[in-house]
Amino acid sequence: MKRRVLAAVMALTMGVMGTGVMAQASDKEPLKVALVYSGFLGDKSFNDLAHDGAQKAAEDFGIEFQELESGEAADWEANFVAMADAGYDLVIGVSTQFLEIMKKHCPDYPDTKFAMIDGVCDAGDNVVSTLFAQNEGSFLAGAAAAMLTTKTDIPGINDQKIIGWVGGMDIPVLHDFYVGYEQGAKYIDPDIEILQSFAGTFTDALKGKELATAQINQGADVVMNVANITGMGVMEAASEQGVYAIGVDTNQDDLYPGSVFTSMTKKVDNCTYQIIQSVIDGTFEGGTSSYMDLAHDGVGLTDFAVIKESLGDQFPQDIADKVEELKEKIASGEIVVDSYEGYGKPQQ
């Protein structure tokens, strides 16, 4: 199947919604949407963003939506198939973990629309995909970390040029995060040392805390979390040890104010909303992919507002200025960020 790439301009005004799953009824049968997660809600990260996008669609369009959560890989396929069997109009796999599951099962349901978030699924003309340029956002995070680790006048920063990175499961999309993080850090300082760990899980905050603490004990004074619920432990460790963390997916800066330096954001909420909206307005086009990159504001860093308030006059404004410069260079193509094998912008 020839796959076309759709450039996606992201809406920036979507807020966090409540917990209901249906807005006021319309004259016709409401669209029924299922979201299937390879993890749990309440992560204050990727999954919660998908929920927020669906909730916003419920508020605006009167859809019904159902969500199935599980941290066990053995459940993911069964949950996905159950939602397809149940006759939902749109079934969304909220993770690259659903790639093989969707390839296997989507062709069996030609009258159902499917969407994959965070990967490209060539499973048929009833499937749309969204891929994020997390490598580009991570490049900015790595550059910020490399600059911060030299600011020894800031409390918590030592005289060693060592930064850390803790991921959840050892899967390709997380390697794409790390490729960008490493490239961004080494763009600033080719000699910087980067400590890398995988927890093997997205749902164990204690494991994340243990790994981050080990990196901090080896000299890392900035540690990026790419680990969902596991990453909560990374940020807790940084806060307790008096160093700095970098959040992921959503704005996590205020979870540990003064300890989270910035967060690398992925606009998963906007993506989920737009997929649902495309079914509502009849523009859903199976066999296509959207690529959410820096140029289209699909990824990025938070604005340092929380850490600025904490550090006051000690906040290193030169880091924020440099990040803006690098963002422009990446968006324009002047800087090309490497991708992990199988990632990067899909070919038209």
Side-chain angles (χ1 to χ4, degrees):
M1 177 180 63
K2 183 178 179 182
R3 178 167 292 278
R4 285 169 293 153
V5 179
L6 305 179
V9 179
M10 308 297 291
L12 301 178
T13 58
M14 293 171 59
V16 176
M17 311 305 297
T19 57
V21 296
M22 182 176 174
Q24 62 272 16
S26 64
D27 293 336
K28 60 182 180 179
E29 192 75 15
L31 184 77
K32 294 179 64 178
V33 179
L35 291 85
V36 189
Y37 298 97
S38 60
F40 298 99
L41 294 169
D43 61 356
K44 301 185 184 299
S45 186
F46 193 93
N47 293 338
D48 282 358
L49 285 171
H51 168 85
D52 291 345
Q55 182 63 59
K56 173 66 172 171
E59 295 284 336
D60 288 353
F61 307 126
I63 69 164
E64 294 181 15
F65 72 93
Q66 175 69 36
E67 299 173 288
L68 287 183
E69 313 164 51
S70 177
E72 299 295 327
D75 296 335
W76 301 339
E77 183 171 8
N79 286 348
F80 185 85
V81 172
M83 292 296 94
D85 280 340
Y88 283 85
D89 302 301
L90 171 65
V91 179
I92 303 175
V94 189
S95 167
T96 187
Q97 303 285 70
F98 287 100
L99 178 58
E100 296 305 320
I101 294 170
M102 293 179 67
K103 284 183 177 179
K104 178 180 177 182
H105 293 289
C106 289
D108 296 334
Y109 302 90
D111 296 327
T112 302
K113 294 178 172 62
F114 296 96
M116 181 176 185
I117 296 178
D118 217 23
V120 175
C121 181
D122 291 308
D125 290 335
N126 58 336
V127 184
V128 298
S129 303
T130 301
L131 192 68
F132 289 88
Q134 56 271 327
N135 60 324
E136 294 184 352
S138 291
F139 181 103
L140 299 180
M147 288 184 279
L148 179 59
T149 196
T150 67
K151 305 293 186 179
T152 55
D153 57 324
I154 295 177
I157 298 297
N158 59 49
D159 60 1
Q160 302 178 75
K161 295 190 294 184
I162 302 173
I163 61 175
W165 185 97
V166 176
M169 296 182 71
D170 187 351
I171 54 177
V173 66
L174 263 65
H175 284 278
D176 199 45
F177 271 99
Y178 183 77
V179 165
Y181 186 72
E182 180 181 43
Q183 185 180 352
K186 290 186 177 295
Y187 182 92
I188 299 298
D189 183 355
D191 298 322
I192 195 168
E193 182 178 355
I194 307 170
L195 306 178
Q196 180 194 44
S197 301
F198 284 98
T201 174
F202 286 114
T203 60
D204 188 343
L206 180 59
K207 183 66 173 179
K209 185 174 182 178
E210 291 174 351
L211 293 174
T213 298
Q215 292 186 359
I216 293 165
N217 289 340
Q218 294 175 68
D221 44 25
V222 189
V223 182
M224 184 174 182
N225 132 54
V226 189
N228 203 275
I229 291 173
T230 301
M232 297 296 290
V234 174
M235 293 183 289
E236 182 178 357
S239 178
E240 290 183 357
Q241 298 290 329
V243 298
Y244 298 90
I246 294 176
V248 73
D249 292 337
T250 189
N251 186 340
Q252 298 181 325
D253 297 9
D254 60 357
L255 295 181
Y256 291 92
S259 180
V260 180
F261 188 67
T262 185
S263 298
M264 198 226 92
T265 57
K266 294 174 72 169
K267 304 295 174 59
V268 178
D269 50 350
N270 294 359
C271 163
T272 304
Y273 181 92
Q274 289 173 1
I275 291 167
I276 295 170
Q277 183 179 32
S278 74
V279 179
I280 294 289
D281 63 21
T283 60
F284 180 97
E285 191 173 356
T288 63
S289 296
S290 298
Y291 188 58
M292 309 301 191
D293 57 8
L294 268 175
H296 296 95
D297 201 39
V299 297
L301 291 189
T302 53
D303 61 4
F304 304 98
V306 176
I307 195 69
K308 280 182 181 179
E309 183 175 351
S310 176
L311 292 178
D313 292 342
Q314 288 185 296
F315 175 75
Q317 183 60 41
D318 61 313
I319 295 181
D321 295 341
K322 186 65 174 181
V323 164
E324 285 302 309
E325 175 191 325
L326 294 175
K327 180 179 178 179
E328 292 175 5
K329 288 182 176 181
I330 294 169
S332 70
E334 181 178 345
I335 293 176
V336 177
V337 182
D338 297 335
S339 300
Y340 187 69
E341 182 179 357
Y343 281 80
K345 187 173 184 177
Q347 297 298 312
Q348 298 193 37

